[in-house]
Amino acid sequence: MDEFFNVISLNDVLLCMIAAFFLAHLIRIVNVILRLMKDETVFEKNPSELSSTLEKCYSLFPKDIFDFNGMTFRRGLYVRLKTVTSKIIEGKIIGLNERDEICVITRTYISAEKLNDIAEITVLDSDSRR
């Protein structure tokens, strides 16, 4: 065992630690990139299931025009919602229901939020969509 420590210097140990750190970081970055590339959008999963789900959403959220903080929003607008808990949702407005819940479809999911829980709604232009 003493021979082992005589052969490896402190510089070799530090170099191995630094190399292991960068290798682990590189593996994490590649893993995130692969996971993002693998994620399917809500439109790619099953188009027929999506269309039936959207029809249900349109019937559950029938109001296509609503007012929020003095601004008028309509079905089909691309918006960024910021909730009072600082949750950000970007997507297309589906509609509003009689319980004052707004439905928004994003790339990966369909979300319904109460208007009372929304702090801000910003209309996005076509360049800011993902």
Side-chain angles (χ1 to χ4, degrees):
M1 189 72 161
D2 290 334
E3 290 178 14
F4 180 73
F5 290 112
N6 288 338
V7 175
I8 296 179
S9 67
L10 183 60
N11 287 337
D12 293 335
V13 173
L14 288 176
L15 183 63
C16 285
M17 289 172 53
I18 292 171
F21 173 77
F22 282 114
L23 183 63
H25 191 65
L26 181 67
I27 290 172
R28 284 185 58 196
I29 289 172
V30 169
N31 191 14
V32 167
I33 291 171
L34 289 176
R35 194 172 347 133
L36 287 175
M37 289 173 55
K38 182 180 169 186
D39 282 347
E40 297 176 352
T41 66
V42 89
F43 300 107
E44 294 171 344
K45 289 183 182 174
N46 190 346
S48 62
E49 183 178 322
L50 177 66
S51 63
S52 66
T53 302
L54 284 177
E55 288 301 319
K56 290 177 188 174
C57 287
Y58 288 133
S59 64
L60 290 172
F61 298 89
K63 296 179 186 175
D64 55 350
I65 297 175
F66 65 93
D67 292 326
F68 180 79
N69 288 345
M71 293 181 64
T72 302
F73 298 93
R74 61 177 161 52
R75 178 176 288 159
L77 278 178
Y78 283 89
V79 295
R80 176 182 295 128
L81 304 177
K82 184 176 181 183
T83 65
V84 292
T85 59
S86 298
K87 179 179 172 185
I88 304 285
I89 302 169
E90 290 185 12
K92 187 169 112 175
I93 295 176
I94 299 295
L96 184 81
N97 64 11
E98 49 283 335
R99 293 184 292 183
D100 285 338
E101 294 173 332
I102 183 174
C103 181
V104 176
I105 184 169
T106 68
R107 273 190 76 240
T108 54
Y109 58 91
I110 298 173
S111 176
E113 299 288 331
K114 292 189 179 232
L115 279 181
N116 295 339
D117 295 339
I118 296 175
E120 173 184 343
I121 301 178
T122 308
V123 177
L124 301 177
D125 58 340
S126 61
D127 295 334
S128 61
R129 283 187 244 154
R130 292 185 184 187

